[in-house]
């Protein structure tokens, strides 16, 4: 089913928050279901956090393979940035309603092999990493569009803008 936002009034949460959600109507036949704004924002933060944690692992793999390469510095900077952003996302997500059970353990992100997917070619691995980072940027911007006018929007916009800039620098290294 395609999820769609459903605005339905004012939430009892933080001032200025509206109740809204993204639900699948077939999940609740014959009933309109509201998801509080905080729940919707929390859900978006969890999804972005999990993507950032995946990216930390993948960027770390590329950095290990780039030892002695000019791109190693950019990859190290990317890893540091992603770790910092994961911390910021965790703090923002916890502030809404405590730590969500949907936040994946960092060790659960240690799957796959970016360099293996690129057949051991560092340039191909970096290009694949950039492609995956671009996917995160697009997803984050789409999420920002669905949760406008909340405090966490600035955090997500900054993440998308800075991640996009770092991905472009990787391609030029």
């Amino acid at each position: 089913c395609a999820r769609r936002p459903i605005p339905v009034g004012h939430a009892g949460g933080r001032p200025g928050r509206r109740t809204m959600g993204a639900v699948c109507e077939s999940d609740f036949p014959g009933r309109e279901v509201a998801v509080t704004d905080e729940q919707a924002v929390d859900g978006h933060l969890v999804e972005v956090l999990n993507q950032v944690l995946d990216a930390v692992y993948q960027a770390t793999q590329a950095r290990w393979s780039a030892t002695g390469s000019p791109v190693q510095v950019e990859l190290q900077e990317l890893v540091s940035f992603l770790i910092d952003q994961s911390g910021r996302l965790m703090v923002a997500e916890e502030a809404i309603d405590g730590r969500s059970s949907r936040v994946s353990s960092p060790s659960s992100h240690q799957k796959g092999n970016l360099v293996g997917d690129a057949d051991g070619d560092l340039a191909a691995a970096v290009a694949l990493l950039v492609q995956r980072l671009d996917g995160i940027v697009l997803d984050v911007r789409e999420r920002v569009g669905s949760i406008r006018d909340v405090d966490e929007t600035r955090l997500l916009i900054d993440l998308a803008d800075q991640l996009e800039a770092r991905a472009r620098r990787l391609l030029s290294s």
Side-chain angles (χ1 to χ4, degrees):
C1 108
R3 298 204 177 267
R4 63 182 180 82
I6 302 176
V8 289
H10 288 282
R14 293 187 232 167
R17 298 272 181 160
R18 293 187 335 259
T19 302
M20 64 181 246
V23 298
C24 182
E25 290 178 2
S26 64
D27 291 342
F28 306 95
R31 294 187 340 194
E32 184 171 306
V33 176
V35 176
T36 65
D37 192 28
E38 281 89 2
Q39 289 170 324
V41 171
D42 188 64
H44 288 297
L45 291 175
V46 167
E47 292 301 320
V48 171
L49 173 58
N50 286 329
Q51 290 179 61
V52 168
L53 290 172
D54 282 339
V56 168
Y57 182 69
Q58 293 175 18
T60 300
Q61 287 180 13
R63 181 182 47 90
W64 288 333
S65 298
T67 302
S69 166
V71 75
Q72 181 183 10
V73 172
E74 290 295 335
L75 288 167
Q76 179 56 52
E77 195 278 328
L78 173 64
V79 169
S80 296
F81 169 75
L82 291 168
I83 290 170
D84 178 65
Q85 292 301 301
S86 69
R88 290 172 187 252
L89 289 164
M90 284 181 196
V91 168
E93 189 277 327
E94 278 185 24
I96 292 174
D97 194 22
R99 175 61 53 87
S100 170
S101 62
R102 296 180 326 179
V103 174
S104 299
S105 160
S107 62
S108 71
H109 295 273
Q110 297 180 9
K111 52 189 168 215
N113 184 336
L114 179 77
V115 178
D117 291 345
D119 295 325
D121 180 327
L122 179 59
V126 169
L128 183 56
L129 177 62
V130 167
Q131 182 181 32
R132 292 175 181 177
L133 295 174
D134 287 344
I136 295 170
V137 168
L138 290 174
D139 183 66
V140 168
R141 287 188 173 141
E142 185 175 304
R143 290 175 188 282
V144 164
S146 69
I147 60 168
R148 283 179 253 151
D149 303 325
V150 297
D151 298 338
E152 296 79 8
T153 302
R154 178 81 295 186
L155 173 69
L156 294 175
I157 290 169
D158 289 345
L159 168 66
D161 291 348
Q162 293 181 46
L163 192 56
E164 182 177 49
R166 283 167 173 78
R168 299 294 68 81
R169 282 198 304 263
L170 275 174
L171 286 178
S172 65
S173 292

